[in-house]
């Protein structure tokens, strides 16, 4: 996979969450983190991805929502989290 010069990892995470919009956020975020780690040639297990997400201390109600149930404020929170994961 080729990346654009201005490719942002946090945008990749948001796109992955959107593409898995029928899954709960906790699962789509886990898959997004795993896929990002693969792109960076690091590889990550599901357990490691779950620990990464748990360390973010997101609201449990937010993690149970699907993409379609998210509010604008939820999306802002997720973008902030995605940026923190990718730094």
């Amino acid at each position: 996979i080729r990346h654009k010069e201005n490719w942002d990892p946090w945008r990749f995470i948001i796109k992955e969450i959107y593409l898995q919009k029928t899954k709960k956020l906790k699962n789509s975020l886990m898959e997004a983190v795993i896929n990002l780690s693969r792109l960076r040639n690091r590889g990550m297990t599901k357990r490691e991805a779950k620990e990464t997400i748990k360390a973010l201390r997101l609201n449990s109600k937010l993690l149970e929502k699907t993409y379609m149930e998210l509010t604008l404020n939820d999306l802002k929170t997720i973008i902030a989290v995605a940026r923190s994961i990718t730094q």
Side-chain angles (χ1 to χ4, degrees):
I1 296 176
R2 294 184 186 180
H3 302 292
K4 297 178 184 176
E5 286 183 26
N6 61 354
W7 182 78
D8 289 323
W10 69 270
R11 290 177 196 245
F12 175 83
I13 289 178
I14 299 301
K15 182 185 85 169
E16 288 287 307
I17 292 170
Y18 172 76
L19 292 174
Q20 301 176 47
K21 56 187 162 193
T22 59
K23 293 183 181 180
K24 290 182 181 179
L25 181 61
K26 64 181 177 182
N27 295 323
S28 60
L29 188 56
M30 178 187 65
E31 293 294 327
V33 169
I34 290 170
N35 291 339
L36 179 63
S37 71
R38 286 183 186 147
L39 284 178
R40 293 178 163 180
N41 294 321
R42 293 184 187 153
M44 182 180 279
T45 64
K46 283 186 178 183
R47 178 175 285 175
E48 291 169 331
K50 286 179 182 180
E51 289 172 7
T52 299
I53 294 165
K54 187 176 181 181
L56 298 172
R57 303 179 128 208
L58 289 169
N59 182 325
S60 60
K61 288 182 182 180
L62 176 62
L63 291 173
E64 293 297 319
K65 292 182 179 182
T66 64
Y67 182 85
M68 301 304 288
E69 298 170 327
L70 297 175
T71 66
L72 182 58
N73 284 334
D74 293 339
L75 288 173
K76 288 178 182 179
T77 300
I78 294 165
I79 289 170
V81 165
R83 285 183 169 168
S84 73
I85 291 173
T86 60
Q87 292 180 348

